[in-house]
Amino acid sequence: MGAMFVNLLIFVAAAAPLVLLLALLRMMTRPPAQSPAPTAAAPGLPLFDGATTQLLLDALPHPIVLFSPDHQLLRSNRAAQSLFQLTPGALAESVPHKWLLPLLSEVTATGRPVDPPGYQAAVQVFADNRELLFHPRAEPLLNADGSLRGIALLLIDATGLRQVDEAKSGLLSTVSHELKTPLTSLQMAIHLLIDDQGAPLSPRRRDLLLTARDDADRLNALIDDLLDVGRLRSGKAPLLMEPLPAAALVESAGSSLRRDLEEKRLTLQTDLPESLPPVRADPTRAAYVVATLLTVARRAARHEGCIHIGAALDNARLSLLISVPNDHLDPLFAHPDSPSGRDGVSLAVAREIAAAHDGAIAFSSEPGGPQWRFTLPLA
């Protein structure tokens, strides 16, 4: 949690000047409520003419570019021109950056900000023999009537954040490997004690050893998950993506939890129409994410309760919605984003796997009860 908080502070510190600039641009480009017809703008700069705008842009160390609704490059600051060769007058289609046009097109189509999740969206450039990474974010600039006036492209320097993250991943991998060796010895000793026929165990001692065995197995599984995340980040264990029906994904995850659900006498209700398009996912790892969310929901539900699984389509993405009705909630359940300590590591691993899928995990308190959302791109 401490590392996540540090990462958040770094990102906020980097993004704060750009957010302030965006607010200023919106105020500058919004037409007055009752004003005479605007005068003709300078050729090629129909929206953002004025020396003040350019001074604001050049004052920022982060690259920032302003586009018209038809994706013509109107203005850019010195950082954008020197690092990305984004000069005024060009069209996004003619710029040699494959990530740019899809980003602008999505803003034009939806009228909403586009902030690609995860490090996979980072843009790599080289300057002075150094590798630099920038996280792109596209913001719509709207007229008073809600029509699109322009698009602001912000490129937030994420080089330092990536270095911190790589150092954290290296430390995590080292610690996980160091824990693996003594844990293996403990597991062998516990299993030998349980299976030793020459030294019968009292019921109490046998229960203690069985509990120790289960906890050691659970810890071993968590360490394997952490190592798997490290391999995912380093590219040593790439995702095996394929088209996958949402129902098959839920069935795979539910089957691994069938005994846990039966112990609590929980009912798993699914509402997944056959007409749903398939998602693009790694079957094993995506099923792990669903199983993790079902585990958290299981802890939130009271005995003989119900867990509901539905789906929602949004543009080119499908979200699996896992919820527990209010009348089926355990009285001790406080908030959907406050899992037990046992679930904390699993959720952190699930978030990493979701991000590697270009997806996300979200939690919300709905009127009908808490809801967990797992979003994946469509195949």
Side-chain angles (χ1 to χ4, degrees):
M1 291 298 293
M4 292 176 62
F5 183 68
V6 171
N7 289 351
L8 180 61
L9 287 180
I10 296 174
F11 183 80
V12 169
L18 299 180
V19 174
L20 176 61
L21 173 65
L22 182 60
L24 291 173
L25 286 174
R26 283 179 170 172
M27 289 190 294
M28 293 171 60
T29 58
R30 184 184 298 121
Q34 294 181 346
S35 60
T39 57
L45 299 175
L47 301 178
F48 304 101
D49 53 342
T52 304
T53 302
Q54 190 63 44
L55 287 174
L56 279 171
L57 298 179
D58 287 336
L60 285 170
H62 302 281
I64 181 168
V65 189
L66 305 179
F67 292 89
S68 67
D70 60 356
H71 304 162
Q72 181 184 10
L73 200 157
L74 302 177
R75 283 192 181 274
S76 59
N77 64 355
R78 285 192 291 264
Q81 294 177 24
S82 62
L83 292 173
F84 293 91
Q85 291 74 50
L86 295 173
T87 56
L91 290 173
E93 291 85 347
S94 63
V95 174
H97 298 300
K98 295 181 179 180
W99 52 268
L100 178 59
L101 187 57
L103 202 66
L104 300 179
S105 299
E106 186 171 349
V107 176
T108 304
T110 64
R112 293 182 296 183
V114 177
D115 187 6
Y119 286 121
Q120 292 77 14
V123 179
Q124 180 192 56
V125 294
F126 290 90
D128 299 328
N129 295 323
R130 290 178 58 237
E131 180 193 29
L132 302 177
L133 295 167
F134 290 86
H135 186 85
R137 175 182 172 86
E139 283 275 353
L141 302 175
L142 304 177
N143 289 309
D145 61 358
S147 60
L148 187 64
R149 184 174 176 81
I151 302 173
L153 174 66
L154 315 175
L155 289 155
I156 303 171
D157 190 349
T159 307
L161 187 60
R162 171 63 73 89
Q163 291 171 348
V164 170
D165 190 70
E166 288 178 349
K168 181 182 68 175
S169 297
L171 177 63
L172 185 64
S173 178
T174 301
V175 172
S176 298
H177 278 291
E178 291 297 325
L179 288 173
K180 193 79 172 173
T181 301
L183 180 60
T184 302
S185 300
L186 287 174
Q187 285 181 297
M188 291 178 61
I190 293 172
H191 281 277
L192 287 173
L193 288 173
I194 292 175
D195 297 335
D196 187 3
Q197 301 297 327
L201 297 171
S202 65
R204 183 170 179 272
R205 290 184 178 181
R206 185 171 184 83
D207 288 342
L208 288 173
L209 282 174
L210 290 175
T211 301
R213 182 195 64 184
D214 292 343
D215 287 341
D217 290 344
R218 186 178 298 111
L219 180 58
N220 186 63
L222 287 176
I223 293 176
D224 286 339
D225 291 338
L226 293 174
L227 290 172
D228 196 34
V229 168
R231 288 190 288 266
L232 279 174
R233 288 186 171 186
S234 64
K236 295 179 180 178
L239 297 174
L240 303 177
M241 301 294 231
E242 62 182 63
L244 187 66
L249 182 59
V250 171
E251 173 63 25
S252 175
S255 62
S256 65
L257 296 173
R258 185 169 288 112
R259 188 182 69 175
D260 293 336
L261 295 173
E262 290 175 351
E263 286 179 356
K264 209 170 181 180
R265 296 190 294 277
L266 289 173
T267 304
L268 191 61
Q269 296 182 350
T270 59
D271 182 16
L272 301 172
E274 294 183 0
S275 59
L276 285 174
V279 296
R280 182 173 178 268
D282 181 306
T284 303
R285 293 189 173 100
Y288 174 90
V289 176
V290 177
T292 299
L293 298 182
L294 285 175
T295 300
V296 180
R298 181 182 67 86
R299 299 192 194 285
R302 61 175 171 81
H303 282 270
E304 300 182 1
C306 171
I307 298 175
H308 182 266
I309 302 179
L313 284 172
D314 183 15
N315 293 328
R317 293 178 179 273
L318 184 143
S319 296
L320 289 174
L321 310 176
I322 300 172
S323 57
V324 179
N326 272 332
D327 56 345
H328 290 183
L329 277 177
D330 191 303
L332 298 178
F333 182 73
H335 190 273
D337 202 10
S338 57
S340 68
R342 185 181 298 178
D343 299 324
V345 174
S346 298
L347 275 174
V349 173
R351 288 193 182 96
E352 292 285 350
I353 295 175
H357 279 80
D358 191 21
I361 295 175
F363 303 87
S364 60
S365 294
E366 301 297 328
Q371 185 178 92
W372 293 261
R373 177 185 292 260
F374 177 30
T375 303
L376 286 169
L378 295 179

